[in-house]
Amino acid sequence: MFIDIADISVHAGRGGDGAVAWRREKYVPAGGPAGGDGGKGGSVVLRADEGIQTLMDFRYKRVYKAENGENGKSRNQFGKNGEDIVLRVPVGTLVKDQKSGQVIVDMKEKDMTYVIARGGDGGKGNSRYTSSTRQAPSFAQPGFKGEKKDITLELKVLADVGLVGFPNVGKSTLLSVISKAKPKIANYHFTTLKPNLGLVRVGEGQSFVVADIPGLIEGASQGVGLGLDFLKHVERTRVLIHVLDISGMEGRDPLEDFKQINEELASYHPRLLEKPQIIFANKMDLPGSQENLARLEEALGEDYPIFSGSAATTENVKQLVYEAYKRLEEAPKAIETYDEAYVEVIEEEDRIRVYKDQEGYKVEGTYIERLLESTYFSDRDSLRYFQESLRKNGVIDQLKDLGIQEGDPVLIMGYEFEFFE
């Protein structure tokens, strides 16, 4: 079974909390603050690995968590950083944001790495908060949360040349002849249930990868059969060989077959028709082939290179391979069908929001939440630091612009405070 889609969640580690500690060494009078910083949380890293062929492993495990950072220690010792977790994916894996469907990264090169979720920074220890007016801070900063993302892994076959055409036209046989691939071959429809890859050697230092794209049918671009799954694998091929049963032995018209397949490609994405396309009129060794070939050449000969032959007898197969390689050298890099770069969505709560509604004045945001968590309201220095941070970030000025007066209540992340300058 060919697994090419997997939905997973990745959780980076949380940073360790900063420590509140004091120097207590012998012979050191009036020791000051000595709380160390927390360690950074581990990140989730993707790595493209040629040894991985499918996304099968991601079917059985859906959540991946990196290690949290260690809390800071006394004597200004930093906490240990959390271990990263590395997820190995096949080369050619497209990583998408589940919510928006946008592409985050294309893992298209061997050993390519990408940090998909960054670990949270460690919190500062109390020794970091000393100043000329704050000699003995008794508070520290908690660690920051690591990133969490829901992503879709989508594997697309990385091939230079794609064989397209209706079922049972001879694509699998052609693949077996031009490469060392051993696809399942039989005289019935839909023998190919997953794309087969083969390496084609043209000459010294000259080769390309060919993919037998499973048989397409009318309505494939609307999801008929396994059409959408099949069409995805056409996207990265740079040249197409369109295989036709020129004999018409099954009562099909090869010219109509050609038009239908191209209509499905265009319906899936019009840019697929921009790829160079070579026609291989297969099964020329069967009766009725000459008449159909004449009609095909008259209709399409000026627009497409047409090679007539037989995969079964290997007639003209070498010439077809040389033409494919020639077109490949001239073809641009693979045409992708996504147009927009990934832009990470920053949720509203990640910003500092100062506003007024029917309940009164409110201040919200992730930074404010972290500030509250790290504030010891029974400690004068910590409370002063909290007030200074609100002022430096423009919260006080925004509240005044909204019309707040001395003594008015203000809700900061659900906690009620009285406003005083």
Side-chain angles (χ1 to χ4, degrees):
M1 184 176 181
F2 186 79
I3 306 299
D4 62 352
I5 291 285
D7 291 331
I8 64 171
S9 294
V10 290
H11 299 186
R14 182 187 179 94
D17 296 337
V20 176
W22 310 94
R23 296 179 69 182
R24 293 288 186 265
E25 294 97 335
K26 195 176 182 180
Y27 309 119
V28 181
D37 297 350
K40 180 179 173 63
S43 298
V44 182
V45 181
L46 301 176
R47 181 185 296 276
D49 189 332
E50 279 190 331
I52 307 295
Q53 303 298 326
T54 73
L55 299 172
M56 177 72 76
D57 291 345
F58 297 102
R59 274 185 83 195
Y60 305 108
K61 184 178 179 182
R62 298 300 181 104
V63 180
Y64 296 85
K65 296 181 179 180
E67 189 177 43
N68 292 334
E70 188 180 33
N71 292 337
K73 303 176 183 179
S74 59
R75 299 185 182 181
N76 286 317
Q77 295 181 74
F78 288 7
K80 182 182 177 182
N81 292 339
E83 289 286 337
D84 293 342
I85 181 172
V86 179
L87 304 182
R88 297 187 304 151
V89 299
V91 176
T93 299
L94 210 59
V95 184
K96 296 182 177 180
D97 175 63
Q98 276 188 32
K99 187 174 182 180
S100 67
Q102 287 183 306
V103 174
I104 300 174
V105 63
D106 183 355
M107 304 295 290
K108 60 186 176 182
E109 297 177 4
K110 176 187 175 183
D111 296 328
M112 176 181 175
T113 60
Y114 183 83
V115 179
I116 189 66
R118 296 187 179 279
D121 291 331
K124 296 176 182 178
N126 68 330
S127 62
R128 294 275 195 167
Y129 291 97
T130 56
S131 66
S132 58
T133 59
R134 188 191 303 122
Q135 297 295 319
S138 57
F139 63 94
Q141 186 183 45
F144 292 76
K145 295 178 182 177
E147 292 181 325
K148 295 183 180 180
K149 290 181 182 176
D150 293 325
I151 60 174
T152 297
L153 304 178
E154 183 176 297
L155 177 61
K156 299 183 182 181
V157 175
L158 284 173
D160 301 304
V161 176
L163 305 180
V164 298
F166 272 92
N168 207 30
V169 295
K171 298 190 305 300
S172 296
T173 302
L174 180 61
L175 177 66
S176 69
V177 169
I178 64 176
S179 74
K180 292 184 179 181
K182 293 179 170 48
K184 182 179 178 182
I185 301 171
N187 190 27
Y188 51 85
H189 294 187
F190 299 108
T191 57
T192 306
L193 297 179
K194 66 178 182 180
N196 288 303
L197 290 177
L199 181 63
V200 180
R201 188 176 187 276
V202 182
E204 189 67 33
Q206 299 175 321
S207 63
F208 60 86
V209 177
V210 63
D212 168 16
I213 307 300
L216 302 178
I217 59 174
E218 186 176 1
S221 58
Q222 278 73 50
V224 175
L226 298 177
L228 291 178
D229 292 332
F230 295 159
L231 281 162
K232 281 185 295 189
H233 298 291
V234 181
E235 293 184 38
R236 288 192 177 177
T237 56
R238 296 164 57 196
V239 173
L240 298 179
I241 295 179
H242 198 139
V243 184
L244 297 173
D245 177 359
I246 199 67
S247 71
M249 287 282 291
E250 297 187 4
R252 303 188 61 86
D253 183 347
L255 189 56
E256 285 301 312
D257 284 359
F258 178 84
K259 292 177 181 178
Q260 278 193 23
I261 291 295
N262 277 285
E263 285 173 4
E264 295 302 328
L265 295 178
S267 181
Y268 180 74
H269 202 294
R271 287 166 62 178
L272 293 182
L273 293 186
E274 297 176 20
K275 297 177 185 291
Q277 197 168 148
I278 304 167
I279 298 175
F280 181 55
N282 192 26
K283 304 187 181 181
M284 282 296 296
D285 51 322
L286 299 181
S289 301
Q290 290 295 342
E291 295 84 349
N292 286 331
L293 177 62
R295 289 196 305 115
L296 187 72
E297 289 177 334
E298 183 179 354
L300 304 174
E302 293 184 5
D303 300 318
Y304 300 92
I306 299 176
F307 286 79
S308 60
S310 170
T313 66
T314 71
E315 179 191 356
N316 279 343
V317 168
K318 277 190 176 181
Q319 289 84 343
L320 175 67
V321 168
Y322 291 142
E323 180 68 16
Y325 186 77
K326 175 187 171 185
R327 299 275 173 167
L328 196 58
E329 287 189 309
E330 300 169 352
K333 293 296 182 182
I335 299 171
E336 303 292 350
T337 58
Y338 55 87
D339 302 304
E340 298 181 10
Y342 173 71
V343 178
E344 188 166 1
V345 178
I346 300 176
E347 303 291 345
E348 280 298 311
E349 61 263 25
D350 289 339
R351 304 187 182 95
I352 297 178
R353 298 182 62 222
V354 182
Y355 63 98
K356 182 180 180 182
D357 61 15
Q358 294 178 345
E359 296 178 356
Y361 299 95
K362 293 183 178 180
V363 181
E364 297 174 351
T366 301
Y367 173 80
I368 298 299
E369 182 181 3
R370 289 199 301 264
L371 187 61
L372 274 174
E373 290 176 351
S374 63
T375 301
Y376 299 87
F377 290 99
S378 58
D379 182 273
R380 180 180 297 179
D381 285 337
S382 182
L383 183 59
R384 184 179 298 164
Y385 180 80
F386 175 75
Q387 293 168 336
E388 288 173 358
S389 298
L390 291 179
R391 191 176 301 280
K392 287 179 180 177
N393 283 280
V395 174
I396 303 301
D397 289 339
Q398 290 184 63
L399 286 170
K400 289 167 68 175
D401 290 343
L402 290 171
I404 197 169
Q405 301 296 319
E406 292 273 344
D408 283 350
V410 54
L411 285 174
I412 301 180
M413 295 302 297
Y415 293 91
E416 186 172 306
F417 296 82
E418 285 188 35
F419 179 79
F420 290 102
E421 278 206 81

PDB file of all heavy atoms in Angstrom, residues 311-327:
ATOM      1  N   ALA A 311       6.025  -1.570 -26.992  1.00  0.00           N
ATOM      2  CA  ALA A 311       6.766  -1.890 -25.777  1.00  0.00           C
ATOM      3  C   ALA A 311       7.039  -3.383 -25.697  1.00  0.00           C
ATOM      4  O   ALA A 311       8.080  -3.815 -25.189  1.00  0.00           O
ATOM      5  CB  ALA A 311       5.976  -1.424 -24.548  1.00  0.00           C
ATOM      6  N   ALA A 312       6.117  -4.175 -26.226  1.00  0.00           N
ATOM      7  CA  ALA A 312       6.261  -5.642 -26.163  1.00  0.00           C
ATOM      8  C   ALA A 312       7.422  -6.127 -27.020  1.00  0.00           C
ATOM      9  O   ALA A 312       8.156  -7.051 -26.639  1.00  0.00           O
ATOM     10  CB  ALA A 312       4.967  -6.319 -26.586  1.00  0.00           C
ATOM     11  N   THR A 313       7.619  -5.512 -28.192  1.00  0.00           N
ATOM     12  CA  THR A 313       8.699  -5.943 -29.090  1.00  0.00           C
ATOM     13  C   THR A 313       9.914  -5.009 -29.035  1.00  0.00           C
ATOM     14  O   THR A 313      10.903  -5.258 -29.711  1.00  0.00           O
ATOM     15  CB  THR A 313       8.194  -5.992 -30.539  1.00  0.00           C
ATOM     16  OG1 THR A 313       7.869  -4.654 -30.973  1.00  0.00           O
ATOM     17  CG2 THR A 313       6.973  -6.877 -30.659  1.00  0.00           C
ATOM     18  N   THR A 314       9.796  -3.920 -28.249  1.00  0.00           N
ATOM     19  CA  THR A 314      10.809  -2.859 -28.063  1.00  0.00           C
ATOM     20  C   THR A 314      11.059  -2.039 -29.329  1.00  0.00           C
ATOM     21  O   THR A 314      12.045  -1.305 -29.405  1.00  0.00           O
ATOM     22  CB  THR A 314      12.153  -3.426 -27.553  1.00  0.00           C
ATOM     23  OG1 THR A 314      12.785  -4.175 -28.595  1.00  0.00           O
ATOM     24  CG2 THR A 314      11.959  -4.289 -26.324  1.00  0.00           C
ATOM     25  N   GLU A 315      10.169  -2.134 -30.313  1.00  0.00           N
ATOM     26  CA  GLU A 315      10.313  -1.344 -31.548  1.00  0.00           C
ATOM     27  C   GLU A 315      10.265   0.150 -31.225  1.00  0.00           C
ATOM     28  O   GLU A 315       9.337   0.638 -30.594  1.00  0.00           O
ATOM     29  CB  GLU A 315       9.196  -1.704 -32.530  1.00  0.00           C
ATOM     30  CG  GLU A 315       9.259  -0.917 -33.834  1.00  0.00           C
ATOM     31  CD  GLU A 315       8.010  -1.091 -34.691  1.00  0.00           C
ATOM     32  OE1 GLU A 315       7.130  -1.892 -34.300  1.00  0.00           O
ATOM     33  OE2 GLU A 315       7.914  -0.424 -35.737  1.00  0.00           O
ATOM     34  N   ASN A 316      11.285   0.898 -31.651  1.00  0.00           N
ATOM     35  CA  ASN A 316      11.395   2.356 -31.502  1.00  0.00           C
ATOM     36  C   ASN A 316      11.456   2.830 -30.035  1.00  0.00           C
ATOM     37  O   ASN A 316      11.328   4.027 -29.777  1.00  0.00           O
ATOM     38  CB  ASN A 316      10.233   3.068 -32.207  1.00  0.00           C
ATOM     39  CG  ASN A 316      10.477   3.205 -33.695  1.00  0.00           C
ATOM     40  OD1 ASN A 316      11.622   3.060 -34.160  1.00  0.00           O
ATOM     41  ND2 ASN A 316       9.425   3.461 -34.455  1.00  0.00           N
ATOM     42  N   VAL A 317      11.644   1.928 -29.110  1.00  0.00           N
ATOM     43  CA  VAL A 317      11.697   2.328 -27.698  1.00  0.00           C
ATOM     44  C   VAL A 317      12.956   3.146 -27.404  1.00  0.00           C
ATOM     45  O   VAL A 317      12.922   4.143 -26.672  1.00  0.00           O
ATOM     46  CB  VAL A 317      11.618   1.092 -26.764  1.00  0.00           C
ATOM     47  CG1 VAL A 317      11.972   1.456 -25.334  1.00  0.00           C
ATOM     48  CG2 VAL A 317      10.225   0.481 -26.826  1.00  0.00           C
ATOM     49  N   LYS A 318      14.095   2.766 -27.982  1.00  0.00           N
ATOM     50  CA  LYS A 318      15.335   3.513 -27.767  1.00  0.00           C
ATOM     51  C   LYS A 318      15.214   4.946 -28.261  1.00  0.00           C
ATOM     52  O   LYS A 318      15.650   5.902 -27.607  1.00  0.00           O
ATOM     53  CB  LYS A 318      16.511   2.819 -28.469  1.00  0.00           C
ATOM     54  CG  LYS A 318      17.124   1.684 -27.682  1.00  0.00           C
ATOM     55  CD  LYS A 318      18.428   1.223 -28.331  1.00  0.00           C
ATOM     56  CE  LYS A 318      19.084   0.138 -27.479  1.00  0.00           C
ATOM     57  NZ  LYS A 318      20.377  -0.320 -28.080  1.00  0.00           N
ATOM     58  N   GLN A 319      14.604   5.091 -29.439  1.00  0.00           N
ATOM     59  CA  GLN A 319      14.428   6.432 -29.997  1.00  0.00           C
ATOM     60  C   GLN A 319      13.537   7.283 -29.071  1.00  0.00           C
ATOM     61  O   GLN A 319      13.771   8.483 -28.884  1.00  0.00           O
ATOM     62  CB  GLN A 319      13.803   6.352 -31.401  1.00  0.00           C
ATOM     63  CG  GLN A 319      14.741   5.796 -32.464  1.00  0.00           C
ATOM     64  CD  GLN A 319      14.763   4.267 -32.492  1.00  0.00           C
ATOM     65  OE1 GLN A 319      14.338   3.614 -31.542  1.00  0.00           O
ATOM     66  NE2 GLN A 319      15.274   3.702 -33.594  1.00  0.00           N
ATOM     67  N   LEU A 320      12.539   6.649 -28.491  1.00  0.00           N
ATOM     68  CA  LEU A 320      11.653   7.348 -27.555  1.00  0.00           C
ATOM     69  C   LEU A 320      12.433   7.824 -26.335  1.00  0.00           C
ATOM     70  O   LEU A 320      12.268   8.963 -25.873  1.00  0.00           O
ATOM     71  CB  LEU A 320      10.516   6.411 -27.125  1.00  0.00           C
ATOM     72  CG  LEU A 320       9.561   6.944 -26.045  1.00  0.00           C
ATOM     73  CD1 LEU A 320       8.739   8.103 -26.586  1.00  0.00           C
ATOM     74  CD2 LEU A 320       8.649   5.822 -25.555  1.00  0.00           C
ATOM     75  N   VAL A 321      13.311   6.971 -25.813  1.00  0.00           N
ATOM     76  CA  VAL A 321      14.118   7.326 -24.639  1.00  0.00           C
ATOM     77  C   VAL A 321      15.045   8.496 -24.950  1.00  0.00           C
ATOM     78  O   VAL A 321      15.177   9.439 -24.151  1.00  0.00           O
ATOM     79  CB  VAL A 321      14.920   6.096 -24.150  1.00  0.00           C
ATOM     80  CG1 VAL A 321      15.979   6.508 -23.130  1.00  0.00           C
ATOM     81  CG2 VAL A 321      13.987   5.061 -23.548  1.00  0.00           C
ATOM     82  N   TYR A 322      15.685   8.468 -26.105  1.00  0.00           N
ATOM     83  CA  TYR A 322      16.587   9.570 -26.484  1.00  0.00           C
ATOM     84  C   TYR A 322      15.826  10.892 -26.597  1.00  0.00           C
ATOM     85  O   TYR A 322      16.318  11.953 -26.183  1.00  0.00           O
ATOM     86  CB  TYR A 322      17.278   9.258 -27.818  1.00  0.00           C
ATOM     87  CG  TYR A 322      18.287   8.128 -27.739  1.00  0.00           C
ATOM     88  CD1 TYR A 322      18.423   7.212 -28.784  1.00  0.00           C
ATOM     89  CD2 TYR A 322      19.100   7.979 -26.623  1.00  0.00           C
ATOM     90  CE1 TYR A 322      19.345   6.169 -28.718  1.00  0.00           C
ATOM     91  CE2 TYR A 322      20.020   6.940 -26.546  1.00  0.00           C
ATOM     92  CZ  TYR A 322      20.136   6.040 -27.584  1.00  0.00           C
ATOM     93  OH  TYR A 322      21.048   5.010 -27.501  1.00  0.00           O
ATOM     94  N   GLU A 323      14.633  10.822 -27.169  1.00  0.00           N
ATOM     95  CA  GLU A 323      13.821  12.038 -27.304  1.00  0.00           C
ATOM     96  C   GLU A 323      13.426  12.584 -25.934  1.00  0.00           C
ATOM     97  O   GLU A 323      13.446  13.801 -25.699  1.00  0.00           O
ATOM     98  CB  GLU A 323      12.575  11.739 -28.138  1.00  0.00           C
ATOM     99  CG  GLU A 323      11.641  12.934 -28.341  1.00  0.00           C
ATOM    100  CD  GLU A 323      12.233  14.019 -29.221  1.00  0.00           C
ATOM    101  OE1 GLU A 323      13.228  13.753 -29.934  1.00  0.00           O
ATOM    102  OE2 GLU A 323      11.704  15.159 -29.188  1.00  0.00           O
ATOM    103  N   ALA A 324      13.054  11.670 -25.030  1.00  0.00           N
ATOM    104  CA  ALA A 324      12.675  12.092 -23.682  1.00  0.00           C
ATOM    105  C   ALA A 324      13.845  12.781 -22.974  1.00  0.00           C
ATOM    106  O   ALA A 324      13.673  13.811 -22.314  1.00  0.00           O
ATOM    107  CB  ALA A 324      12.189  10.894 -22.864  1.00  0.00           C
ATOM    108  N   TYR A 325      15.033  12.223 -23.127  1.00  0.00           N
ATOM    109  CA  TYR A 325      16.208  12.817 -22.492  1.00  0.00           C
ATOM    110  C   TYR A 325      16.517  14.191 -23.101  1.00  0.00           C
ATOM    111  O   TYR A 325      16.861  15.138 -22.381  1.00  0.00           O
ATOM    112  CB  TYR A 325      17.421  11.895 -22.645  1.00  0.00           C
ATOM    113  CG  TYR A 325      18.631  12.394 -21.892  1.00  0.00           C
ATOM    114  CD1 TYR A 325      18.717  12.240 -20.508  1.00  0.00           C
ATOM    115  CD2 TYR A 325      19.678  13.017 -22.565  1.00  0.00           C
ATOM    116  CE1 TYR A 325      19.828  12.707 -19.807  1.00  0.00           C
ATOM    117  CE2 TYR A 325      20.782  13.486 -21.875  1.00  0.00           C
ATOM    118  CZ  TYR A 325      20.852  13.333 -20.495  1.00  0.00           C
ATOM    119  OH  TYR A 325      21.946  13.804 -19.808  1.00  0.00           O
ATOM    120  N   LYS A 326      16.389  14.298 -24.414  1.00  0.00           N
ATOM    121  CA  LYS A 326      16.619  15.576 -25.083  1.00  0.00           C
ATOM    122  C   LYS A 326      15.656  16.646 -24.572  1.00  0.00           C
ATOM    123  O   LYS A 326      16.045  17.774 -24.257  1.00  0.00           O
ATOM    124  CB  LYS A 326      16.463  15.390 -26.595  1.00  0.00           C
ATOM    125  CG  LYS A 326      16.550  16.680 -27.397  1.00  0.00           C
ATOM    126  CD  LYS A 326      16.212  16.426 -28.858  1.00  0.00           C
ATOM    127  CE  LYS A 326      16.075  17.732 -29.619  1.00  0.00           C
ATOM    128  NZ  LYS A 326      15.621  17.519 -31.021  1.00  0.00           N
ATOM    129  N   ARG A 327      14.385  16.277 -24.485  1.00  0.00           N
ATOM    130  CA  ARG A 327      13.367  17.233 -23.992  1.00  0.00           C
ATOM    131  C   ARG A 327      13.618  17.590 -22.530  1.00  0.00           C
ATOM    132  O   ARG A 327      13.361  18.712 -22.103  1.00  0.00           O
ATOM    133  CB  ARG A 327      11.972  16.628 -24.141  1.00  0.00           C
ATOM    134  CG  ARG A 327      11.587  16.313 -25.576  1.00  0.00           C
ATOM    135  CD  ARG A 327      11.019  17.518 -26.275  1.00  0.00           C
ATOM    136  NE  ARG A 327      10.803  17.268 -27.691  1.00  0.00           N
ATOM    137  CZ  ARG A 327      10.091  18.066 -28.468  1.00  0.00           C
ATOM    138  NH1 ARG A 327       9.529  19.135 -27.966  1.00  0.00           N
ATOM    139  NH2 ARG A 327       9.951  17.792 -29.753  1.00  0.00           N
TER     140      ARG A 327
END
